[in-house]
Amino acid sequence: MASAPAQQPTLTVEQARVVLSEVIQAFSVPENAARMEEARESACNDMGKMLQLVLPVATQIQQEVIKAYGFNNEGEGVLKFARLVKMYETQDPEIAAMSVKLKSLLLPPLSTPPIGGGIPAS
């Protein structure tokens, strides 16, 4: 039998702003920035490799912050935090802006194919 599920942390809008701000700040800590840069360089802008190399590092950085607010120290905690942020994005423009900033730290800039091209007509 599975044990009873742990109490899911709940944050007010104000608390979510604070935690989100701390998560974003954690990515600028020199050690974390170096870890992310190394993972990005190893991934060579390949989306599959980004998921394998960059996402786990980003998840660890977030976990280090959010565990202090009651989220478990596994990937599940990051997912629950992300859902909470998503819920507040529509209610709070500051959270929405910080969420965009966090996503920009996690995802590589997308390169767009040249207009009219990429795949030659046959």
Side-chain angles (χ1 to χ4, degrees):
M1 288 260 147
S3 61
Q7 179 74 22
Q8 180 167 334
T10 55
L11 301 174
T12 64
V13 172
E14 293 80 16
Q15 291 169 323
R17 271 190 225 122
V18 169
V19 178
L20 195 50
S21 176
E22 288 180 18
V23 167
I24 291 168
Q25 289 173 4
F27 282 92
S28 63
V29 170
E31 176 188 321
N32 292 338
R35 290 169 57 201
M36 285 294 288
E37 187 60 32
E38 182 180 326
R40 279 192 188 98
E41 286 175 6
S42 297
C44 300
N45 238 11
D46 176 292
M47 189 52 80
K49 288 182 181 179
M50 293 293 276
L51 293 172
Q52 293 175 328
L53 302 172
V54 178
L55 190 59
V57 173
T59 299
Q60 289 171 354
I61 292 168
Q62 291 180 74
Q63 286 170 337
E64 291 166 11
V65 174
I66 67 173
K67 70 183 178 184
Y69 294 91
F71 292 89
N72 74 25
N73 200 21
E74 298 172 13
E76 183 183 332
V78 172
L79 291 175
K80 286 181 179 178
F81 178 66
R83 280 189 224 116
L84 189 70
V85 169
K86 185 81 173 156
M87 180 183 76
Y88 283 139
E89 280 178 358
T90 58
Q91 301 171 25
D92 188 83
E94 191 175 342
I95 288 179
M98 285 192 285
S99 179
V100 168
K101 181 171 180 144
L102 179 59
K103 287 173 190 167
S104 75
L105 294 170
L106 303 178
L107 300 172
L110 297 175
S111 56
T112 54
I115 294 178
I119 302 173
S122 40

